[in-house]
Amino acid sequence: MTTSNAASLAHSAHSMGTLTAISWILGPTDDMPATPFLMVYSIGDGLHGPEAGEAELRQTLEGMGVPIGGTVVDAGQDRGIGAHLLVEAERAVLTLPFTNAQCPVSAEWQAAAYENGHAILMVPVVPWPDGQPGVPVPEDRLQAFITSDEVVKNAAHIAVPVSRIQG
């Protein structure tokens, strides 16, 4: 697993709390190509506390038609989700109906995104106060969070098609 630094998103002082994005890549393995991942999460500092932020994020995702804890939803097949991803110059620019993000990505992440044609977006509704914006996240802490049973069953997973600047 290779990670990039966490980056703060456009919205910070609302009831969801500060939303942050982080990227990582898994693989490749013998039977699977390298898979690029992005995660958008709250650090739990919303105006009405972490529980209210969790409830609002859950409601927002379900309102987009994205199940929590379910299978991966393909935003390329269901354009109504409103998830868009531009990858260029080792940056991922993610647009969701409720926020926009720019996140640094490695050259390997960018290559995998181009090869796969999509990245997997994970949006846990469970806050992660350890993943502070602009602070590097050790791989072991990221892995512990993203593989936690509580986080996995309380997260949306979206395959977001990758766009590039046409030149």
Side-chain angles (χ1 to χ4, degrees), residues 30-139:
D30 291 340
D31 58 346
M32 186 179 82
T35 304
F37 287 84
L38 280 174
M39 180 170 62
V40 171
Y41 60 94
S42 171
I43 63 171
D45 62 348
L47 296 174
H48 306 290
E51 294 82 15
E54 182 176 336
E56 182 178 336
L57 187 52
R58 179 182 301 276
Q59 182 178 17
T60 299
L61 290 164
E62 289 173 347
M64 291 169 50
V66 179
I68 305 299
T71 59
V72 177
V73 175
D74 186 345
Q77 296 295 319
D78 186 350
R79 298 278 182 197
I81 291 172
H84 304 280
L85 179 61
L86 173 67
V87 178
E88 204 69 50
E90 296 182 12
R91 302 223 33 104
V93 181
L94 178 67
T95 303
L96 296 169
F98 59 94
T99 196
N100 299 310
Q102 284 196 38
C103 182
V105 297
S106 67
E108 294 81 11
W109 192 101
Q110 180 171 301
Y114 289 166
E115 182 179 331
N116 285 299
H118 68 269
I120 303 298
L121 172 64
M122 179 178 181
V123 186
V125 298
V126 176
W128 190 33
D130 290 349
Q132 293 292 317
V135 178
V137 177
E139 287 185 26

